[in-house]
Amino acid sequence: MVKTSLRLFIRCIATLVLSVLPVAAQNPDYDQPYRPQVHFSPEEHWTNDPNGLVFYQGEYHLFFQYNPFGDQWGHMSWGHAVSTDLLHWHELPVAIPEHDNTMIFTGSVVVDRQNTSGLCTHGDCLVAIYTGHTQTSEGIRQTQNLAVSLDKGRNWAQYPGNPVLDLHLADFRDPSVSWDPIAHHWVMAVSLPKEHKIRFYSSADLKQWTQLSDFGPTGDVNGDWECPDLIHIPSSNSAKSIWALKVGLNPGAPQGGSGEQYFLGDFDGKSFHQSRLRGSQGWTNYGKDDYCAISFNGLPKDQKPVLLGWMSNWQYAAKIPTTPWRGQMSLPRHISYVSDAAGLALKQEPIVAPLRGKNYEISALSTNTSTLYGSGHTLQPPFEIRLNFGHPVEPIFGLKIFSDQQHWIEVAFDTNKKEFYIDRTHSGAAISPDFPTRTKAPLVTTRPYDLTLIVDRSSVEAFAQDGTIAMTDLVFPVSNNLQIQIFPDDAKPIQSEGQLWELKSIW
């Protein structure tokens, strides 16, 4: 990799000014102005929640809520893509289509290694557990159902005994299913949205389910609870393992619209118990645009859990200015946890290193110099920046990313307010009154002031304070020719060290 020391300044602002190499040839179907280049999006049509994330026989499977007929929500089915590295995805035909007046809502896929279901014919197989959303003469009915694949997820057959779990409710959805190796049975976490509860069930065969316990109401209950995920986070070094229960909230999230909270604690095989330590409840993402994230089943034992979400918000998802597709996924990220003097916190590390190309070292110190903005040197997304601000004396510091003099986003730390924030109020297209936003997360003064930033054609994903803050926001800039500035622009100098990588397109 080529390494170049960058020391460029703009009126007390350290400015990173780069010129990119010519873009490599790629599939023209994936080169629209706002088409993400390092995030999955379907070739066409509407998508929302990721579903059934599973690793099986060398492939990562991404199923997702999908409308095969248009770019608005409806006719919900399971789209399907596969990858060998969690980054380069190959889209396959629709896996589980809408049928018999039943839409296929969110759920899980498990590897039935011991054929507990009796549905596998030769060794193991893949079993999907999903919510069926049916319009009946009595109104909406949501039930839990099964489908089975005997050919690595390419073709699926409905279980003739569906539904396998029916409470005769209009709101009962999004099963998260995994194998309990200690109790030797399956565990399901499923949402009762209006009651703000996650209900746990067990099953020996994926067909007959026994109620175990309820968790909630607790935490934030300002909207429907949905998209639960129960995740075991193995120990690292001398630390103890911990459990995370992630719960979607829509509407009513702190940033407006949809968002996701997590609880850290213990699952004893029957009930989830939240820890009493500080930090045991937080937000999986403090931005507006990461919802219904779920983890992968079937990962190798030595791999950390991997989380992936839908990059949008129900406030304006139908208005996103993209065509012929609408909707995209976040980057996958490894999850672990931090336990320090400030308490507990979920930690997230984006999986992006395999896409790194040309590399620059960043060493910047603000000083009084003439402006360099507008000199014509630009950087085009996608790219990744990693910075460490050390122990700054300035109260507000971070990055500004300009697409022209009137349009920019700001990613920064505000130590006076004890906030980390992304301000996209001047980012470009304002597709909805709910879109121009300054999203914010609480700072912990004893954690480092570090920043990882992944910028794509229509998104910014930030990870700060050792990955304990994740913040994802869509942006629709007026130009892909960007200039980056480290600030503040006056008063005391600020130091930073880090690296910048151009990222290769996944297409």
Side-chain angles (χ1 to χ4, degrees):
M1 293 187 298
V2 178
K3 293 186 177 180
T4 306
S5 178
L6 303 179
R7 290 181 176 273
L8 299 174
F9 310 99
I10 173 175
R11 193 181 294 177
C12 297
I13 301 177
T15 307
L16 312 180
V17 184
L18 306 170
S19 298
V20 296
L21 297 174
V23 177
Q26 59 184 338
N27 186 334
D29 292 337
Y30 292 89
D31 196 27
Q32 295 90 355
Y34 294 131
R35 172 76 73 173
Q37 296 299 293
V38 296
H39 298 82
F40 173 78
S41 58
E43 181 178 0
E44 60 181 357
H45 303 322
W46 169 279
T47 186
N48 54 284
D49 307 355
N51 300 153
L53 304 184
V54 67
F55 180 75
Y56 182 61
Q57 295 188 6
E59 288 182 320
Y60 297 94
H61 292 261
L62 164 60
F63 301 93
F64 48 92
Q65 290 286 278
Y66 186 63
N67 181 355
F69 306 109
D71 64 0
Q72 297 289 320
W73 185 92
H75 300 288
M76 299 317 298
S77 306
W78 275 22
H80 189 196
V82 293
S83 172
T84 58
D85 64 359
L86 286 168
L87 293 168
H88 297 85
W89 295 96
H90 174 61
E91 190 172 354
L92 297 173
V94 170
I96 308 179
E98 173 191 32
H99 64 91
D100 299 331
N101 198 35
T102 296
M103 290 195 282
I104 314 301
F105 273 22
T106 294
S108 299
V109 169
V110 299
V111 183
D112 189 0
R113 301 190 188 281
Q114 302 174 36
N115 192 22
T116 62
S117 65
L119 299 175
C120 309
T121 57
H122 298 90
D124 59 20
C125 64
L126 295 177
V127 179
I129 309 94
Y130 67 87
T131 296
H133 179 91
T134 306
Q135 178 70 58
T136 73
S137 59
E138 298 176 352
I140 296 295
R141 175 79 58 83
Q142 292 186 345
T143 60
Q144 313 318 316
N145 303 265
L146 302 183
V148 61
S149 174
L150 306 178
D151 61 354
K152 295 182 65 176
R154 269 58 178 179
N155 294 282
W156 292 83
Q158 297 290 327
Y159 171 55
N162 283 336
V164 296
L165 191 53
D166 183 2
L167 301 186
H168 303 279
L169 294 174
D171 293 283
F172 175 50
R173 57 182 177 267
D174 308 337
S176 169
V177 178
S178 58
W179 177 254
D180 186 331
I182 298 176
H184 298 285
H185 62 214
W186 300 98
V187 173
M188 176 193 294
V190 62
S191 180
L192 296 167
K194 304 300 183 184
E195 298 178 37
H196 307 115
K197 291 181 179 180
I198 303 302
R199 180 159 292 174
F200 295 99
Y201 291 87
S202 67
S203 174
D205 60 4
L206 295 170
K207 300 171 184 175
Q208 298 181 358
W209 293 90
T210 300
Q211 183 177 337
L212 297 174
S213 63
D214 288 349
F215 176 80
T218 188
D220 200 316
V221 294
N222 290 327
D224 284 3
W225 275 24
E226 52 187 12
C227 298
D229 196 18
L230 179 66
I231 310 166
H232 180 239
I233 303 177
S235 60
S236 58
N237 300 324
S238 60
K240 297 180 180 179
S241 64
I242 201 168
W243 289 82
L245 178 60
K246 182 208 65 69
V247 181
L249 184 73
N250 179 53
Q255 316 294 2
S258 43
E260 296 199 283
Q261 60 189 322
Y262 67 79
F263 304 91
L264 298 176
D266 178 63
F267 182 72
D268 62 9
K270 294 183 178 180
S271 303
F272 179 83
H273 304 278
Q274 183 182 347
S275 170
R276 295 182 179 181
L277 295 176
R278 280 186 303 168
S280 63
Q281 193 244 330
W283 292 88
T284 308
N285 198 287
Y286 287 89
K288 284 184 72 80
D289 299 308
D290 189 353
Y291 192 55
C292 277
I294 61 173
S295 60
F296 278 81
N297 274 323
L299 293 177
K301 291 183 179 180
D302 61 347
Q303 187 170 350
K304 291 180 181 179
V306 176
L307 200 66
L308 184 147
W310 172 48
M311 192 187 288
S312 197
N313 190 300
W314 282 114
Q315 286 182 323
Y316 44 71
K319 301 176 182 177
I320 299 300
T322 60
T323 186
W325 86 102
R326 183 170 278 137
Q328 61 197 58
M329 299 298 161
S330 72
L331 277 175
R333 57 266 193 190
H334 284 126
I335 58 172
S336 55
Y337 77 99
V338 169
S339 179
D340 57 20
L344 299 174
L346 196 70
K347 176 177 178 175
Q348 302 181 61
E349 302 168 274
I351 300 171
V352 70
L355 301 179
R356 290 172 179 167
K358 192 174 181 180
N359 169 234
Y360 302 86
E361 284 186 349
I362 301 169
S363 179
L365 174 67
S366 59
T367 185
N368 286 316
T369 60
S370 61
T371 178
L372 295 177
Y373 184 78
S375 60
H377 298 286
T378 60
L379 176 68
Q380 292 186 350
F383 55 86
E384 174 190 8
I385 297 173
R386 289 184 179 244
L387 284 172
N388 192 322
F389 290 96
H391 301 282
V393 295
E394 283 295 316
I396 303 176
F397 53 93
L399 295 177
K400 283 187 177 180
I401 303 175
F402 289 84
S403 50
D404 64 24
Q405 291 186 359
Q406 289 76 44
H407 298 94
W408 68 88
I409 62 171
E410 192 167 292
V411 184
F413 299 84
D414 185 332
T415 58
N416 282 342
K417 294 182 179 180
K418 294 185 178 180
E419 291 177 352
F420 173 78
Y421 68 88
I422 295 178
D423 188 335
R424 69 177 183 192
T425 56
H426 300 90
S427 61
I431 60 176
S432 156
D434 297 308
F435 191 82
T437 316
R438 184 181 185 270
T439 57
K440 57 188 180 181
L443 281 179
V444 176
T445 56
T446 55
R447 291 178 182 150
Y449 292 106
D450 59 5
L451 172 64
T452 295
L453 193 66
I454 295 98
V455 179
D456 208 338
R457 289 186 180 177
S458 54
S459 66
V460 176
E461 287 193 273
F463 301 85
Q465 296 218 293
D466 194 26
T468 60
I469 295 173
M471 190 174 289
T472 299
D473 286 315
L474 291 172
V475 291
F476 299 99
V478 297
S479 170
N480 274 330
N481 298 317
L482 306 179
Q483 293 188 343
I484 307 166
Q485 300 175 354
I486 299 176
F487 71 92
D489 58 359
D490 55 19
K492 298 176 182 177
I494 185 166
Q495 294 180 329
S496 63
E497 293 183 348
Q499 291 183 299
L500 183 149
W501 292 267
E502 299 170 9
L503 297 178
K504 302 171 186 176
S505 172
I506 63 173
W507 310 117

PDB file of all heavy atoms in Angstrom, residues 11-32:
ATOM      1  N   ARG A  11      -7.464  27.575   7.309  1.00  0.00           N
ATOM      2  CA  ARG A  11      -7.871  28.548   8.329  1.00  0.00           C
ATOM      3  C   ARG A  11      -8.082  27.879   9.681  1.00  0.00           C
ATOM      4  O   ARG A  11      -9.193  27.802  10.200  1.00  0.00           O
ATOM      5  CB  ARG A  11      -9.143  29.276   7.892  1.00  0.00           C
ATOM      6  CG  ARG A  11      -9.428  30.519   8.754  1.00  0.00           C
ATOM      7  CD  ARG A  11     -10.691  31.213   8.332  1.00  0.00           C
ATOM      8  NE  ARG A  11     -10.544  31.759   6.999  1.00  0.00           N
ATOM      9  CZ  ARG A  11     -11.522  32.374   6.356  1.00  0.00           C
ATOM     10  NH1 ARG A  11     -12.693  32.483   6.915  1.00  0.00           N
ATOM     11  NH2 ARG A  11     -11.315  32.868   5.155  1.00  0.00           N
ATOM     12  N   CYS A  12      -7.002  27.419  10.253  1.00  0.00           N
ATOM     13  CA  CYS A  12      -7.019  26.712  11.533  1.00  0.00           C
ATOM     14  C   CYS A  12      -7.724  25.367  11.460  1.00  0.00           C
ATOM     15  O   CYS A  12      -8.140  24.817  12.468  1.00  0.00           O
ATOM     16  CB  CYS A  12      -7.661  27.555  12.639  1.00  0.00           C
ATOM     17  SG  CYS A  12      -6.751  29.061  12.979  1.00  0.00           S
ATOM     18  N   ILE A  13      -7.921  24.853  10.221  1.00  0.00           N
ATOM     19  CA  ILE A  13      -8.541  23.542  10.055  1.00  0.00           C
ATOM     20  C   ILE A  13      -7.554  22.656   9.318  1.00  0.00           C
ATOM     21  O   ILE A  13      -7.062  23.033   8.264  1.00  0.00           O
ATOM     22  CB  ILE A  13      -9.846  23.624   9.232  1.00  0.00           C
ATOM     23  CG1 ILE A  13     -10.829  24.556   9.913  1.00  0.00           C
ATOM     24  CG2 ILE A  13     -10.455  22.250   9.057  1.00  0.00           C
ATOM     25  CD1 ILE A  13     -12.095  24.741   9.129  1.00  0.00           C
ATOM     26  N   ALA A  14      -7.285  21.479   9.851  1.00  0.00           N
ATOM     27  CA  ALA A  14      -6.456  20.528   9.115  1.00  0.00           C
ATOM     28  C   ALA A  14      -7.328  19.903   8.049  1.00  0.00           C
ATOM     29  O   ALA A  14      -8.352  19.330   8.355  1.00  0.00           O
ATOM     30  CB  ALA A  14      -5.917  19.466  10.055  1.00  0.00           C
ATOM     31  N   THR A  15      -6.954  20.031   6.770  1.00  0.00           N
ATOM     32  CA  THR A  15      -7.789  19.597   5.672  1.00  0.00           C
ATOM     33  C   THR A  15      -7.119  18.463   4.914  1.00  0.00           C
ATOM     34  O   THR A  15      -5.998  18.625   4.453  1.00  0.00           O
ATOM     35  CB  THR A  15      -8.052  20.765   4.695  1.00  0.00           C
ATOM     36  OG1 THR A  15      -8.561  21.853   5.443  1.00  0.00           O
ATOM     37  CG2 THR A  15      -9.037  20.364   3.616  1.00  0.00           C
ATOM     38  N   LEU A  16      -7.794  17.340   4.800  1.00  0.00           N
ATOM     39  CA  LEU A  16      -7.291  16.219   4.025  1.00  0.00           C
ATOM     40  C   LEU A  16      -7.792  16.393   2.599  1.00  0.00           C
ATOM     41  O   LEU A  16      -8.987  16.324   2.348  1.00  0.00           O
ATOM     42  CB  LEU A  16      -7.810  14.900   4.589  1.00  0.00           C
ATOM     43  CG  LEU A  16      -7.678  14.742   6.096  1.00  0.00           C
ATOM     44  CD1 LEU A  16      -8.240  13.403   6.506  1.00  0.00           C
ATOM     45  CD2 LEU A  16      -6.239  14.899   6.509  1.00  0.00           C
ATOM     46  N   VAL A  17      -6.877  16.627   1.651  1.00  0.00           N
ATOM     47  CA  VAL A  17      -7.282  16.893   0.279  1.00  0.00           C
ATOM     48  C   VAL A  17      -6.639  15.833  -0.595  1.00  0.00           C
ATOM     49  O   VAL A  17      -5.427  15.790  -0.713  1.00  0.00           O
ATOM     50  CB  VAL A  17      -6.850  18.305  -0.180  1.00  0.00           C
ATOM     51  CG1 VAL A  17      -7.380  18.585  -1.563  1.00  0.00           C
ATOM     52  CG2 VAL A  17      -7.367  19.340   0.794  1.00  0.00           C
ATOM     53  N   LEU A  18      -7.452  14.976  -1.189  1.00  0.00           N
ATOM     54  CA  LEU A  18      -6.940  13.828  -1.904  1.00  0.00           C
ATOM     55  C   LEU A  18      -7.537  13.739  -3.294  1.00  0.00           C
ATOM     56  O   LEU A  18      -8.651  14.164  -3.535  1.00  0.00           O
ATOM     57  CB  LEU A  18      -7.285  12.543  -1.142  1.00  0.00           C
ATOM     58  CG  LEU A  18      -6.839  12.516   0.322  1.00  0.00           C
ATOM     59  CD1 LEU A  18      -7.449  11.307   0.997  1.00  0.00           C
ATOM     60  CD2 LEU A  18      -5.339  12.484   0.396  1.00  0.00           C
ATOM     61  N   SER A  19      -6.775  13.162  -4.211  1.00  0.00           N
ATOM     62  CA  SER A  19      -7.280  12.863  -5.544  1.00  0.00           C
ATOM     63  C   SER A  19      -7.340  11.348  -5.696  1.00  0.00           C
ATOM     64  O   SER A  19      -6.399  10.656  -5.341  1.00  0.00           O
ATOM     65  CB  SER A  19      -6.367  13.448  -6.621  1.00  0.00           C
ATOM     66  OG  SER A  19      -6.317  14.846  -6.503  1.00  0.00           O
ATOM     67  N   VAL A  20      -8.437  10.830  -6.185  1.00  0.00           N
ATOM     68  CA  VAL A  20      -8.587   9.391  -6.298  1.00  0.00           C
ATOM     69  C   VAL A  20      -8.095   8.901  -7.638  1.00  0.00           C
ATOM     70  O   VAL A  20      -8.026   9.650  -8.618  1.00  0.00           O
ATOM     71  CB  VAL A  20     -10.068   8.974  -6.127  1.00  0.00           C
ATOM     72  CG1 VAL A  20     -10.552   9.314  -4.745  1.00  0.00           C
ATOM     73  CG2 VAL A  20     -10.937   9.638  -7.176  1.00  0.00           C
ATOM     74  N   LEU A  21      -7.769   7.616  -7.669  1.00  0.00           N
ATOM     75  CA  LEU A  21      -7.410   6.966  -8.916  1.00  0.00           C
ATOM     76  C   LEU A  21      -8.671   6.752  -9.735  1.00  0.00           C
ATOM     77  O   LEU A  21      -9.782   6.781  -9.224  1.00  0.00           O
ATOM     78  CB  LEU A  21      -6.735   5.629  -8.614  1.00  0.00           C
ATOM     79  CG  LEU A  21      -5.417   5.721  -7.841  1.00  0.00           C
ATOM     80  CD1 LEU A  21      -4.943   4.314  -7.490  1.00  0.00           C
ATOM     81  CD2 LEU A  21      -4.371   6.437  -8.659  1.00  0.00           C
ATOM     82  N   PRO A  22      -8.552   6.497 -11.042  1.00  0.00           N
ATOM     83  CA  PRO A  22      -9.744   6.228 -11.841  1.00  0.00           C
ATOM     84  C   PRO A  22     -10.529   5.053 -11.275  1.00  0.00           C
ATOM     85  O   PRO A  22      -9.968   4.065 -10.801  1.00  0.00           O
ATOM     86  CB  PRO A  22      -9.152   5.882 -13.222  1.00  0.00           C
ATOM     87  CG  PRO A  22      -7.827   6.564 -13.254  1.00  0.00           C
ATOM     88  CD  PRO A  22      -7.324   6.526 -11.838  1.00  0.00           C
ATOM     89  N   VAL A  23     -11.847   5.171 -11.317  1.00  0.00           N
ATOM     90  CA  VAL A  23     -12.696   4.124 -10.774  1.00  0.00           C
ATOM     91  C   VAL A  23     -12.619   2.891 -11.659  1.00  0.00           C
ATOM     92  O   VAL A  23     -12.688   2.983 -12.880  1.00  0.00           O
ATOM     93  CB  VAL A  23     -14.161   4.620 -10.683  1.00  0.00           C
ATOM     94  CG1 VAL A  23     -15.068   3.506 -10.192  1.00  0.00           C
ATOM     95  CG2 VAL A  23     -14.239   5.827  -9.774  1.00  0.00           C
ATOM     96  N   ALA A  24     -12.454   1.724 -11.035  1.00  0.00           N
ATOM     97  CA  ALA A  24     -12.372   0.482 -11.791  1.00  0.00           C
ATOM     98  C   ALA A  24     -13.698   0.182 -12.467  1.00  0.00           C
ATOM     99  O   ALA A  24     -14.770   0.571 -12.003  1.00  0.00           O
ATOM    100  CB  ALA A  24     -12.000  -0.666 -10.854  1.00  0.00           C
ATOM    101  N   ALA A  25     -13.619  -0.526 -13.579  1.00  0.00           N
ATOM    102  CA  ALA A  25     -14.828  -0.899 -14.307  1.00  0.00           C
ATOM    103  C   ALA A  25     -15.711  -1.752 -13.416  1.00  0.00           C
ATOM    104  O   ALA A  25     -15.237  -2.606 -12.669  1.00  0.00           O
ATOM    105  CB  ALA A  25     -14.456  -1.669 -15.567  1.00  0.00           C
ATOM    106  N   GLN A  26     -17.036  -1.531 -13.474  1.00  0.00           N
ATOM    107  CA  GLN A  26     -17.950  -2.288 -12.650  1.00  0.00           C
ATOM    108  C   GLN A  26     -19.250  -2.484 -13.393  1.00  0.00           C
ATOM    109  O   GLN A  26     -19.475  -1.895 -14.448  1.00  0.00           O
ATOM    110  CB  GLN A  26     -18.204  -1.570 -11.328  1.00  0.00           C
ATOM    111  CG  GLN A  26     -18.779  -0.178 -11.492  1.00  0.00           C
ATOM    112  CD  GLN A  26     -18.921   0.553 -10.174  1.00  0.00           C
ATOM    113  OE1 GLN A  26     -18.986  -0.054  -9.126  1.00  0.00           O
ATOM    114  NE2 GLN A  26     -18.965   1.859 -10.217  1.00  0.00           N
ATOM    115  N   ASN A  27     -20.093  -3.313 -12.845  1.00  0.00           N
ATOM    116  CA  ASN A  27     -21.390  -3.571 -13.434  1.00  0.00           C
ATOM    117  C   ASN A  27     -22.173  -2.261 -13.514  1.00  0.00           C
ATOM    118  O   ASN A  27     -22.432  -1.628 -12.496  1.00  0.00           O
ATOM    119  CB  ASN A  27     -22.134  -4.590 -12.564  1.00  0.00           C
ATOM    120  CG  ASN A  27     -23.439  -5.032 -13.191  1.00  0.00           C
ATOM    121  OD1 ASN A  27     -24.055  -4.312 -13.978  1.00  0.00           O
ATOM    122  ND2 ASN A  27     -23.866  -6.232 -12.845  1.00  0.00           N
ATOM    123  N   PRO A  28     -22.571  -1.817 -14.705  1.00  0.00           N
ATOM    124  CA  PRO A  28     -23.284  -0.534 -14.809  1.00  0.00           C
ATOM    125  C   PRO A  28     -24.609  -0.512 -14.060  1.00  0.00           C
ATOM    126  O   PRO A  28     -25.111   0.550 -13.727  1.00  0.00           O
ATOM    127  CB  PRO A  28     -23.492  -0.381 -16.325  1.00  0.00           C
ATOM    128  CG  PRO A  28     -23.380  -1.762 -16.874  1.00  0.00           C
ATOM    129  CD  PRO A  28     -22.398  -2.472 -16.002  1.00  0.00           C
ATOM    130  N   ASP A  29     -25.173  -1.676 -13.794  1.00  0.00           N
ATOM    131  CA  ASP A  29     -26.430  -1.726 -13.053  1.00  0.00           C
ATOM    132  C   ASP A  29     -26.255  -1.306 -11.601  1.00  0.00           C
ATOM    133  O   ASP A  29     -27.242  -1.095 -10.901  1.00  0.00           O
ATOM    134  CB  ASP A  29     -27.005  -3.145 -13.101  1.00  0.00           C
ATOM    135  CG  ASP A  29     -27.465  -3.548 -14.495  1.00  0.00           C
ATOM    136  OD1 ASP A  29     -27.749  -2.654 -15.302  1.00  0.00           O
ATOM    137  OD2 ASP A  29     -27.528  -4.761 -14.745  1.00  0.00           O
ATOM    138  N   TYR A  30     -25.031  -1.208 -11.133  1.00  0.00           N
ATOM    139  CA  TYR A  30     -24.766  -0.847  -9.743  1.00  0.00           C
ATOM    140  C   TYR A  30     -23.953   0.441  -9.639  1.00  0.00           C
ATOM    141  O   TYR A  30     -23.193   0.629  -8.710  1.00  0.00           O
ATOM    142  CB  TYR A  30     -24.039  -1.996  -9.027  1.00  0.00           C
ATOM    143  CG  TYR A  30     -24.907  -3.221  -8.857  1.00  0.00           C
ATOM    144  CD1 TYR A  30     -24.951  -4.205  -9.834  1.00  0.00           C
ATOM    145  CD2 TYR A  30     -25.697  -3.373  -7.718  1.00  0.00           C
ATOM    146  CE1 TYR A  30     -25.758  -5.327  -9.676  1.00  0.00           C
ATOM    147  CE2 TYR A  30     -26.503  -4.488  -7.552  1.00  0.00           C
ATOM    148  CZ  TYR A  30     -26.531  -5.463  -8.541  1.00  0.00           C
ATOM    149  OH  TYR A  30     -27.339  -6.564  -8.385  1.00  0.00           O
ATOM    150  N   ASP A  31     -24.158   1.344 -10.603  1.00  0.00           N
ATOM    151  CA  ASP A  31     -23.367   2.581 -10.627  1.00  0.00           C
ATOM    152  C   ASP A  31     -24.248   3.825 -10.674  1.00  0.00           C
ATOM    153  O   ASP A  31     -23.855   4.856 -11.196  1.00  0.00           O
ATOM    154  CB  ASP A  31     -22.414   2.548 -11.832  1.00  0.00           C
ATOM    155  CG  ASP A  31     -21.307   3.584 -11.719  1.00  0.00           C
ATOM    156  OD1 ASP A  31     -20.961   3.946 -10.576  1.00  0.00           O
ATOM    157  OD2 ASP A  31     -20.803   4.038 -12.764  1.00  0.00           O
ATOM    158  N   GLN A  32     -25.465   3.727 -10.135  1.00  0.00           N
ATOM    159  CA  GLN A  32     -26.327   4.903 -10.080  1.00  0.00           C
ATOM    160  C   GLN A  32     -25.774   5.903  -9.067  1.00  0.00           C
ATOM    161  O   GLN A  32     -24.969   5.550  -8.207  1.00  0.00           O
ATOM    162  CB  GLN A  32     -27.756   4.491  -9.694  1.00  0.00           C
ATOM    163  CG  GLN A  32     -28.446   3.603 -10.716  1.00  0.00           C
ATOM    164  CD  GLN A  32     -28.212   2.128 -10.456  1.00  0.00           C
ATOM    165  OE1 GLN A  32     -27.460   1.760  -9.567  1.00  0.00           O
ATOM    166  NE2 GLN A  32     -28.850   1.278 -11.251  1.00  0.00           N
TER     167      GLN A  32
END
